[in-house]
Amino acid sequence: MPFLQPKDLKNHSFLEILKIWNPDIQIVVSFRILPKEVWNLPKMGSFNLHASLLPQYRGAAPINWAIMNGENKTGLTTFFIEEKIDFGKILLQKEIQIGKEETAGELENKLKKISGSIVVQTLEYIIKNKIKPISQNKLNFYLLKYAPKISTKDCRIQWENPSIESIYNKIRGLSPYPTAWTFLFFNKKKFVRFKIFFVKKKREKHTFPIGLIFIISSHEMKISVKEGFIFIIEGQIEGKKRMHIKNLIHGLKVRENLFVR
């Protein structure tokens, strides 16, 4: 099978080889932005696979943002590539449900399992002229949500958030990558970065300050938030390995006066 791996997608030699191949159609999955010289080359166009139900969640991180925003469904979309990123005419869509406890990594794996079939079906429909592309402008969406690239700063947990659901969704929406994090303080002096991968939540009225950590016996750690508690299941203290909460607690030399911020 011929194979090209150009560093520069506008490289003259690369473009000349594509022209010689004279492709009928191009399929793009999980790739960087293509120049017009590439996507506009095939006679039947180039189509892309995107991990959302377009026009919702256009951008680089649709899986993460769908969970962080508390969505209960998402899906896959194939669409023709045009000038504006993720704005091309829609070909096919496949909707799936998002589990209430599902993380971004788990949702990505679920989408991977159905991605091949929608790509093959899209290709077959285009070749047999059995599909009518739909302009995204014709779809009736009152409020569009976007999925921009996530920075390290975006991953910091805001424990003061009044909604326990928002905190919970942010952690699972960033797990396992790029990972939600916070600063873990010891006696208000020493602090380290603390990544959090898996949590559970519990709504409960209390009068504790936000961000206070409770360690119960050797197997439970919970953090107070406005509407209740976030229970840490799996985390990683800076400089250490990712581990289950039992092992993490066992490695803590200080177990009192702990809090996050």
Side-chain angles (χ1 to χ4, degrees):
M1 180 180 290
F3 180 76
L4 297 174
Q5 195 173 18
K7 292 182 179 179
D8 179 8
L9 293 172
K10 293 185 178 182
N11 178 272
H12 178 74
S13 298
F14 165 67
L15 292 174
E16 285 302 309
I17 292 174
L18 282 185
K19 289 177 183 177
I20 292 171
W21 286 358
N22 192 27
D24 294 304
I25 194 166
Q26 288 180 152
I27 303 168
V28 181
V29 179
S30 188
F31 205 68
R32 51 190 159 143
I33 299 172
L34 295 176
K36 187 174 182 179
E37 296 95 319
V38 175
W39 62 258
N40 198 41
L41 181 63
K43 307 177 188 69
M44 303 172 76
S46 300
F47 74 86
N48 186 25
L49 175 71
H50 188 76
S52 80
L53 299 173
L54 289 174
Q56 295 290 15
Y57 294 105
R58 294 171 176 145
I63 296 174
N64 303 96
W65 283 107
I67 292 180
M68 286 194 287
N69 286 340
E71 303 287 358
N72 56 26
K73 67 178 181 179
T74 186
L76 295 170
T77 301
T78 52
F79 66 98
F80 278 127
I81 298 175
E82 297 178 3
E83 291 277 5
K84 295 181 73 175
I85 300 171
D86 297 339
F87 273 77
K89 291 182 179 179
I90 289 175
L91 297 167
L92 288 179
Q93 290 189 320
K94 176 71 174 179
E95 181 181 305
I96 65 168
Q97 296 298 307
I98 301 175
K100 292 182 179 180
E101 298 181 358
E102 206 161 38
T103 65
E106 291 167 340
L107 178 57
E108 182 178 7
N109 288 333
K110 194 160 71 173
L111 288 169
K112 282 180 181 178
K113 291 179 181 179
I114 62 172
S115 63
S117 61
I118 191 173
V119 168
V120 171
Q121 188 177 12
T122 300
L123 182 60
E124 290 177 347
Y125 280 10
I126 292 173
I127 292 172
K128 296 177 181 178
N129 198 26
K130 292 174 62 178
I131 195 167
K132 186 176 181 180
I134 301 172
S135 171
Q136 293 190 39
N137 293 328
K138 292 183 179 180
L139 297 177
N140 185 22
F141 279 92
Y142 173 70
L143 179 64
L144 287 178
K145 299 173 184 177
Y146 296 93
K149 185 177 180 180
I150 299 171
S151 68
T152 301
K153 184 179 178 181
D154 295 328
C155 296
R156 186 172 181 180
I157 302 167
Q158 304 299 324
W159 299 103
E160 296 81 10
N161 192 313
S163 169
I164 191 172
E165 287 293 333
S166 294
I167 297 171
Y168 176 70
N169 290 339
K170 181 167 188 170
I171 293 170
R172 67 190 185 98
L174 293 170
S175 176
Y177 182 83
T179 321
W181 65 274
T182 187
F183 284 120
L184 177 61
F185 282 80
F186 302 82
N187 297 315
K188 298 184 179 181
K189 296 178 181 179
K190 180 183 176 183
F191 66 91
V192 293
R193 184 171 291 200
F194 182 33
K195 290 183 176 181
I196 301 176
F197 296 91
F198 291 106
V199 296
K200 289 186 178 181
K201 66 182 188 304
K202 183 180 180 182
R203 290 182 178 276
E204 184 178 328
K205 290 184 178 180
H206 64 80
T207 57
F208 299 110
I210 291 174
L212 186 63
I213 294 177
F214 297 84
I215 294 179
I216 304 161
S217 68
S218 61
H219 62 276
E220 188 173 278
M221 175 189 286
K222 65 180 184 180
I223 299 172
S224 57
V225 296
K226 187 170 183 178
E227 293 184 327
F229 298 93
I230 294 290
F231 291 77
I232 308 300
I233 306 300
E234 191 172 327
Q236 181 179 10
I237 294 175
E238 190 173 22
K240 298 183 180 294
K241 294 180 179 180
R242 173 178 169 178
M243 58 186 73
H244 188 272
I245 192 60
K246 290 182 180 180
N247 298 324
L248 195 150
I249 291 174
H250 182 72
L252 285 175
K253 295 181 180 179
V254 179
R255 299 194 182 186
E256 297 178 354
N257 299 319
L258 294 173
F259 67 98
V260 289
R261 189 168 65 193

